[in-house]
């Protein structure tokens, strides 16, 4: 909903300009056609409505390249008073609707590899110096305003505003507009730049569930590239923010007044916005251009952070509020409870307490945040403090330099910490967690993005972390320690035999094993655990819980000389005063590291066993095995791990990752060789003789094997498993692809008739001692199947049915057996041997083979009955 601009007298000017006479013909260029006569142009609607209708029609009739060219022409030639009505439609047409129904240009799926022409045109049009931004600056100069619905803001902010509680972030100050009826239809009245960036940022969230027709590389998408361009333009690492075009006077609209009839909890004690400090409160004639344009940098960053990181439960949101804010909220709720006609506020009050946001970030979302984190590190590290002369004042530094100095702790730290905690606790236990992991590790290493990078040594040794980064580590202590403990808990629940999971453990161990990093983290913990410093209650608002979302240039924080107080302030501002800190180098976490080291050793042994099994299986394959001349095994083999599919090379990589990770963990936590040897001995003592077929821990009962709690833990964590194969009646297993369905069913009926009629006789023969009993047991009993059944969780009733002697003719239904018999008869016909004679010879040959195998089986199992 566009708002008309304000005139100098405080009244809204006429929205469509002076009246146009019938002799004035609106001449349109070729993109929009021409009106047939002047009367048609002015009969019912103003010219801007015809412009909007023509643009909508072009979306259906013209190709993408032509539409963008026409839009650029319109933006260049038409005045702002006609462009401001098409601006909301154009923003939605490009970035999509807020509810995700309209995709717009679908920038997330637009790639140069698949659509090079559209990709290049879209980037040029939306570039910070492109036509879209020129339109924004043209409307900005005329002070137009637009409504952005509060219902599409992040959950905690939305519920807070609906309860008439203004968030701390200065982005929302003096922008909330309430309808006269009450709590429905809340809107933010924003300027064109904010309106455009709100839509751009939220399109990453609203369209995350839209299925993509093809595989899209996030880093090569138009959306990802535009984020990078906006960050480099508005948060420049070198130089200053480029000003808008010279035709723009650079004025920023003053805040729209709120409705005085609706009570609202204001935070007047908060520092004022950087925008108001450097734009609204300074004359535009003699103002510093950098001061006039720094508001765009702050606004862009606040919108990105609010839309992408401000998603968590309401309890966490309330915990992060400062004490005086909680006091004002309490006063407001008490005053509202005394009003009898405050039903809308009471309903929103109930929603505030029952609210829990269902937010599932995607891998693409995390990759975009990582891009933001990396650029902010480079942006912050480009700050160069200038030597201060005795006559200089404290406010002589440029606004951009001050912004670089405080950008990460004031705007990003708190919300990124909560976002990472949410991901560590809710992300699936699979390889897609790598995106979250790399984003976390990027934040932990600001020295990687410093302009002065020391040269690598010839010995390829890892660089030592400089002591100048100690303040950053101390002020971000929980990012290093608590999230590391969270990663340990995740790693203990994952299958480290998988090379992707092993790589993640290796990456974390390698980063934390950088020289001097563990020592600085340990020093930060010691500073926090000092008990001689107590946080003064009156200073808690200023030092402990600063307004991370607000601006910073309006009030200077006093210099804090006590480093221990800084560390305590960081921890308590993120976790609250009642937080129980768990030391990273304490005994509890050390035990978790020892458990992880033991699991790494187990994973190495498992990977080695799977590798050996794969090699043996490959060596045993031959052409004759296709004819089933070997022992019959209808179950086949199944290892239950993806290493068989990825090859031996990745198995070696897994072993290398785990070995290096174990080495790094020993460096970080100073584990000695004796402890590792003890872990290896404990693991080796629990192994079976072959170290391959170890079953989960279980007890034997009348109903078969029953898992113990330890056995359940072993199965859940992938440490042990039952062999995944058919354990029931061999005659009832599914028909295989190499068997004839009709013959299998006929032979099963024949075998069942024989077994029912001669069951007693077969049991009597198999129970006899001597050669006859052994001969019958060899043909009527299958000891291999019985042994496999004993090692499985199979009930004794079913096991007894499998142990009964019976005839099985199913092998004759195999195509391999039938083909072998046909080849035998065909070859015998060459030697003039008839079918009857050939069958007799085969029977005699098999009789000798059966007698020989009976003697061999009897010698191996002399007491088998």
């Amino acid at each position: 909903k566009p708002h008309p601009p304000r005139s100098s007298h405080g009244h809204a000017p006429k929205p469509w300009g002076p009246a146009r006479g019938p002799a004035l013909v609106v001449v349109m260029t070729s993109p929009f056609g021409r009106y047939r006569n002047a009367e048609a142009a002015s009969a019912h609607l103003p010219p801007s409505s015809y412009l909007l209708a023509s643009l909508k029609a072009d979306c259906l009739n013209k190709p993408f390249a032509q539409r963008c060219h026409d839009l650029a022409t319109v933006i260049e030639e038409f005045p702002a008073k006609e462009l401001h009505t098409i601006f909301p439609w154009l923003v939605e047409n490009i970035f999509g609707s807020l509810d995700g129904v309209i995709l717009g240009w679908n920038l997330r799926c637009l790639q140069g590899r698949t659509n090079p022409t559209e990709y290049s045109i879209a980037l040029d049009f939306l570039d910070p110096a492109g036509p879209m931004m020129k339109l924004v600056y043209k409307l900005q100069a005329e002070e137009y305003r637009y409504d952005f619905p509060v219902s599409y803001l992040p959950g905690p902010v939305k519920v807070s505003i609906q309860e008439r509680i203004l968030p701390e972030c200065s982005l929302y100050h003096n922008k909330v507009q309430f309808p006269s009826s009450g709590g429905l239809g809340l809107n933010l009245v924003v300027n064109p730049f904010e309106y455009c960036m709100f839509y751009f940022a939220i399109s990453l969230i609203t369209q995350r569930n839209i299925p993509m027709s093809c595989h899209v590389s996030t880093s090569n998408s138009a959306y990802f590239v535009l984020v990078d361009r906006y960050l480099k333009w508005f948060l420049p690492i070198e130089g200053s923010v480029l000003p808008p075009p010279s035709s723009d006077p650079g004025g920023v609209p003053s805040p729209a007044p709120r409705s005085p009839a609706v009570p609202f909890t204001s935070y007047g004690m908060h520092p004022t916005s950087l925008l108001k400090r450097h734009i609204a409160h300074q004359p535009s004639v003699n103002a510093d251009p950098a001061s006039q344009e720094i508001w765009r940098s702050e606004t862009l960053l606040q919108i990105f952070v609010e839309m992408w990181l401000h998603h968590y439960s309401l309890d966490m949101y309330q915990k992060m509020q400062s004490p005086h804010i909680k006091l004002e909220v309490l006063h407001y709720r008490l005053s509202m409870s005394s009003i009898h006609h405050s039903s809308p506020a009471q309903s929103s009050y109930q929603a505030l307490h029952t609210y829990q946001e269902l937010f599932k970030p995607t891998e693409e979302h995390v990759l975009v945040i990582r891009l933001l984190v990396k650029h902010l590190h480079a942006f912050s590290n480009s700050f160069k403090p200038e030597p201060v002369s005795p006559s200089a004042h404290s406010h002589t530094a440029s606004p951009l330099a001050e912004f670089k100095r405080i950008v990460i702790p004031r705007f990003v730290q708190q919300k990124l910490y909560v976002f990472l905690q949410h991901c560590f606790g809710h992300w699936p236990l699979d390889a897609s967690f790598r995106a979250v992991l790399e984003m976390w590790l990027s934040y932990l290493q600001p020295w990687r993005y410093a302009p002065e990078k020391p040269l690598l040594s010839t010995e390829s040794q890892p660089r030592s972390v400089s002591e100048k980064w100690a303040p950053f580590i101390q002020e971000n202590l929980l990012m290093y320690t608590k999230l590391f403990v969270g990663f340990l808990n995740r790693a203990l629940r994952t299958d480290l035999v998988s090379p992707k999971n092993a790589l993640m453990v290796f990456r974390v161990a390698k980063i934390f094993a950088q020289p001097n990093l563990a020592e600085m983290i340990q020093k930060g913990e010691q500073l926090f655990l000092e008990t001689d410093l107590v946080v003064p209650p009156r200073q808690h608002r200023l030092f402990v819980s600063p307004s991370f979302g607000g601006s910073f240039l309006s009030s200077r924080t006093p210099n804090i000389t006590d480093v221990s107080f800084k560390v305590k302030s960081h921890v308590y501002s993120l976790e609250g005063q009642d937080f129980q800190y768990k030391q990273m180098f304490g005994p509890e976490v050390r035990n978790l590291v020892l458990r992880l080291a033991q699991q790494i050793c187990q994973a190495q042994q498992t990977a080695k066993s799977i590798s050996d099994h794969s090699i043996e299986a490959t060596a045993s394959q031959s052409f004759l095995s296709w004819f089933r001349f070997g022992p019959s095994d209808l179950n086949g083999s199944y290892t239950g791990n993806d290493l068989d599919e990825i090859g031996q090379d990745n198995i070696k990589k897994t072993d290398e990752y785990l070995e290096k990770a174990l080495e790094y963990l020993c460096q970080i936590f100073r584990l000695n060789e004796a402890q590792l040897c003890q872990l290896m001995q404990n693991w080796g003592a629990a192994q079976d003789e072959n170290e391959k077929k170890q079953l989960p821990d279980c007890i034997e009962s009348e109903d078969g094997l029953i898992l113990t709690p330890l056995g359940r833990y072993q199965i859940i964590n992938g440490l042990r498993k039952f062999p995944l194969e058919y354990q029931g009646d061999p005659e009832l297993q599914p028909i295989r692809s190499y068997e004839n369905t009709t013959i299998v069913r006929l032979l099963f009926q024949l075998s069942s008739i024989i077994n029912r009629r001669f069951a007693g006789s077969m049991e009597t023969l198999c129970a006899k001692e001597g050669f006859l009993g052994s001969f019958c047991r060899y043909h009527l009993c299958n000891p291999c199947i019985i042994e496999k059944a004993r090692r499985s969780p199979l009930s004794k009733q079913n096991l007894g049915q499998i142990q009964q002697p019976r005839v099985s003719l199913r092998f004759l239904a195999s195509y391999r057996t039938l083909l072998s018999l046909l080849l035998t008869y065909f070859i015998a016909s060459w030697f003039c041997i008839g079918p009857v004679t050939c069958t007799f010879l085969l029977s005699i040959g098999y009789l000798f083979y059966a007698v020989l195998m009976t003697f061999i089986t009897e010698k191996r199992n002399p007491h088998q009955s």
Side-chain angles (χ1 to χ4, degrees), residues 456-657:
L456 292 176
S457 60
T458 56
E459 300 177 357
S460 68
Q461 295 293 332
R463 297 194 304 265
S464 176
V465 180
S466 174
E467 285 291 336
K468 77 173 187 176
W469 299 107
F472 178 86
I473 296 173
Q474 294 164 3
E475 294 172 5
N476 292 270
L477 185 63
L478 291 178
M479 287 283 194
Y480 290 89
T481 58
K482 187 174 180 180
L483 293 183
F484 180 81
V485 176
F487 175 77
L488 287 180
N489 292 325
R490 285 186 60 93
L492 290 172
R493 292 178 292 161
T494 56
D495 180 17
L496 297 183
V497 182
S498 171
K500 295 180 180 179
N501 293 335
L503 176 60
M504 288 191 285
V505 176
F506 163 74
R507 287 281 297 141
V508 173
K510 180 181 179 181
I511 297 305
F512 278 84
Q514 295 179 80
N516 202 32
L517 178 58
E519 289 78 5
M520 286 192 286
I521 296 175
Q522 195 168 9
K523 182 179 179 181
E525 288 190 322
Q526 294 173 357
L527 292 172
F528 173 75
L529 296 175
E530 290 183 2
T531 57
D532 56 343
L533 180 63
V534 180
V535 179
R538 293 183 179 270
Q539 296 181 353
H540 175 79
R541 169 68 188 99
L542 184 58
F543 299 132
V544 179
S545 181
S547 176
F548 287 91
S551 185
F552 58 88
L553 292 183
S554 57
S555 62
R556 296 305 182 99
T557 303
N559 293 327
I560 303 175
T561 58
D562 196 328
V563 181
S564 176
F565 184 72
K566 280 188 177 182
V567 179
K568 293 175 184 291
S569 301
H570 155 72
V571 174
Y572 291 140
S573 65
L574 296 182
E575 291 292 344
Q577 294 286 348
D578 55 349
F579 174 62
Q580 298 295 326
Y581 183 75
K582 184 184 297 184
Q583 298 184 53
M584 177 176 169
F585 295 93
E588 187 175 353
V589 177
R590 188 179 182 87
N591 290 334
L592 290 178
V593 174
L594 290 175
R595 284 179 53 193
L596 179 61
Q598 181 178 7
Q599 190 166 329
I600 289 175
C601 296
Q602 296 174 0
Q604 286 178 307
Q605 294 289 341
T606 304
K608 184 177 182 300
S609 300
I610 294 175
S611 177
D612 295 342
H613 172 79
S614 178
I615 295 174
E616 293 175 1
T618 303
S620 63
Q621 291 179 356
S622 63
F623 175 77
L624 293 179
S625 63
W626 190 85
F627 295 99
R628 305 290 293 176
F629 288 154
S632 177
D633 182 13
L634 294 177
N635 286 317
S637 61
Y638 178 79
T639 60
N641 198 284
D642 60 350
L643 292 176
D644 291 331
E645 300 179 0
I646 61 178
Q648 294 294 321
D649 293 338
N650 284 326
I651 296 178
K652 294 179 181 179
K653 288 183 180 180
T654 300
D655 187 67
E656 293 175 1
Y657 290 148

Side-chain angles (χ1 to χ4, degrees), residues 198-319:
F198 264 120
Y199 266 83
F200 175 75
I202 205 172
S203 63
L204 180 66
I205 309 298
T206 56
Q207 300 178 11
R208 64 178 181 267
N209 296 325
I210 298 175
M212 297 183 180
S213 57
C214 60
H215 176 70
V216 175
S217 175
T218 301
S219 59
N220 296 326
S221 66
Y223 188 91
F224 193 88
V225 175
L226 281 175
V227 172
D228 185 55
R229 289 189 182 184
Y230 289 154
L231 291 174
K232 291 179 179 178
W233 184 275
F234 296 107
L235 302 174
I237 298 175
E238 297 180 358
S240 60
V241 183
L242 295 177
S246 58
S247 61
D248 181 20
V252 179
S254 59
R258 293 196 313 267
S259 174
V262 181
F264 199 94
T265 303
S266 63
Y267 301 144
M269 296 177 61
H270 283 200
T272 57
S273 167
L274 179 64
L275 168 64
K276 293 188 289 184
R277 167 68 181 254
H278 288 281
I279 302 298
H281 293 176
Q282 292 185 5
S284 59
V285 178
N286 300 322
D288 182 10
S291 300
Q292 293 186 12
E293 295 310 321
I294 193 66
W295 70 270
R296 292 182 297 162
S297 303
E298 182 183 7
T299 300
L300 177 82
L301 180 60
Q302 284 182 325
I303 291 176
F304 283 178
V305 171
E306 288 293 311
M307 293 297 104
W308 296 341
L309 294 178
H310 203 163
H311 297 270
Y312 32 77
S313 66
L314 188 67
D315 294 338
M316 180 63 68
Y317 178 75
Q318 291 177 335
K319 184 174 68 174

Side-chain angles (χ1 to χ4, degrees), residues 127-149:
D127 189 79
M132 188 64 184
M133 278 300 164
K134 291 181 180 178
L135 172 61
V136 169
Y137 296 143
K138 184 178 288 189
L139 298 174
Q140 192 85 17
E142 299 294 334
E143 300 187 2
Y144 283 104
R145 294 304 186 87
Y146 301 91
D147 288 344
F148 186 88

Side-chain angles (χ1 to χ4, degrees), residues 163 165 265 267 325-334:
E163 204 192 22
I165 303 172
T265 303
Y267 301 144
I325 292 173
K326 295 179 180 179
L327 183 61
E328 290 194 31
V329 171
L330 179 60
H331 283 298
Y332 167 73
R333 289 174 177 171
L334 291 176

Side-chain angles (χ1 to χ4, degrees), residues 827-855:
I827 295 173
S829 64
W830 287 0
F831 298 95
C832 300
I833 300 177
V836 179
T837 306
C838 183
T839 304
F840 177 76
L841 293 176
L842 288 175
S843 302
I844 295 297
Y846 178 78
L847 182 62
F848 282 107
Y849 170 78
V851 170
L852 179 62
M853 293 303 298
T854 300
F855 280 113

